[in-house]
Amino acid sequence: MDWLDLARAALLGILQGLTEFLPVSSTGHLLIAERAMGFEDPGGAFTVMIQLGSILAVMWLYRQRIWDVVTGLPTKPEARRFALMLFLAFLPAVAIGLLAADYVKTVLYESLTVIAWALIIGGVAMLGIERFRPTPQVEDAARTPIGRAVAVGVFQTLALIPGVSRSGATIYGGLLMGLDRRAAAEFSFFLAMPTMAAAFVHDFLDVKDHITPDRTAEIAVGFLFAFLSALVVVKPFLDFVTRIGFGPFAFYRIAAGAMVLGALAMGWL
């Protein structure tokens, strides 16, 4: 391993952290970037491990909320309701993930065409939802009605398709379920914690044998930069979508998907 390997690991870590909580598909961006860089990731070990950096970043940002919920479970009804809401919203991803994980990893992850079209279709869907979404009725993500929270969890299952975006799918679902922009984005962050933690544990068990000593430095660098970049992006993203909306991300998705299709047609990827 040389400095070039570490530099590529740092760039991929930054990309992971920046895109994980934006509605643009971190997995899609990583798979495209790894292919473009010629980055070898046997078993997907690097990708799995650096995602942990993003998970820990959002948990750090919401550490007070997490602490309040955990310590309040025995005595506070609102803490128990919050935990139940997230648990029920999390279940659809568990069920569909267990059924479809092998197909997603062995077939869909290998197709940049699927990723490109998912980016484009997701961008078009986002523009439509922004324009025709129902009048917001929920302004606090923590007070999302449980039925609506479960519906958002069902939308999250769409993110098994690489290029759809986990945060994008949950945000779309939140907007359609009557959450305002900030609440939809924040609910996506809350739901990311159990979902991404469970996905990490599941994937880690599959890839642990590929985490060899000679890859430790590469993984450590990617993890660190994923953590730092996610830490930087979450709060500004909330402020941005509250003021501007999701339109710029929709146009970005469409443009990125179109460029990938063009690059595939030219034989560049």
Side-chain angles (χ1 to χ4, degrees), residues 60-159:
W60 174 256
L61 289 170
Y62 286 98
R63 62 192 181 278
Q64 188 60 54
R65 176 67 66 90
I66 295 171
W67 177 253
D68 290 344
V69 170
V70 172
T71 57
L73 285 174
T75 58
K76 296 180 179 178
E78 62 271 22
R80 290 195 291 269
R81 184 196 172 282
F82 182 83
L84 177 64
M85 174 188 74
L86 283 188
F87 176 72
L88 293 176
F90 160 69
L91 288 180
V94 176
I96 302 300
L98 290 175
L99 291 173
D102 289 342
Y103 177 76
V104 170
K105 291 288 180 66
T106 58
V107 178
L108 297 185
Y109 272 40
E110 298 299 318
S111 175
L112 293 187
T113 301
V114 168
I115 294 172
W117 278 111
L119 285 168
I120 293 170
I121 294 169
V124 172
M126 185 178 289
L127 289 175
I129 292 168
E130 272 278 86
R131 183 174 179 83
F132 299 110
R133 64 192 174 102
T135 302
Q137 299 174 326
V138 180
E139 297 180 352
D140 181 355
R143 297 182 179 274
T144 303
I146 288 179
R148 299 188 190 200
V150 173
V152 175
V154 173
F155 273 92
Q156 182 177 233
T157 63
L158 296 173

Side-chain angles (χ1 to χ4, degrees), residues 184-239:
E186 199 160 45
F187 188 90
S188 175
F189 299 155
F190 293 152
L191 190 53
M193 296 180 206
T195 303
M196 292 175 63
F200 170 78
V201 171
H202 177 271
D203 290 346
F204 175 77
L205 294 175
D206 288 340
V207 306
K208 64 182 187 301
D209 294 335
H210 294 278
I211 304 174
T212 54
D214 62 321
R215 301 205 65 204
T216 301
E218 192 176 70
I219 290 171
V221 168
F223 173 93
L224 175 63
F225 279 92
F227 176 85
L228 293 175
S229 55
L231 204 63
V232 168
V233 78
V234 168
K235 293 297 185 181
F237 170 64
L238 279 175
D239 294 336

Side-chain angles (χ1 to χ4, degrees), residues 16 19-20 25-32 47 51 109 115 159 162-163:
Q16 158 66 26
T19 57
E20 181 60 57
S25 179
S26 63
T27 300
H29 278 72
L30 275 180
L31 292 174
I32 293 166
T47 301
Q51 286 176 342
Y109 272 40
I115 294 172

Side-chain angles (χ1 to χ4, degrees), residues 168-191:
T170 52
I171 287 169
Y172 305 157
L175 293 175
L176 288 173
M177 291 300 107
L179 279 67
D180 69 11
R181 289 168 176 162
R182 188 179 187 91
E186 199 160 45
F187 188 90
S188 175
F189 299 155
F190 293 152
L191 190 53

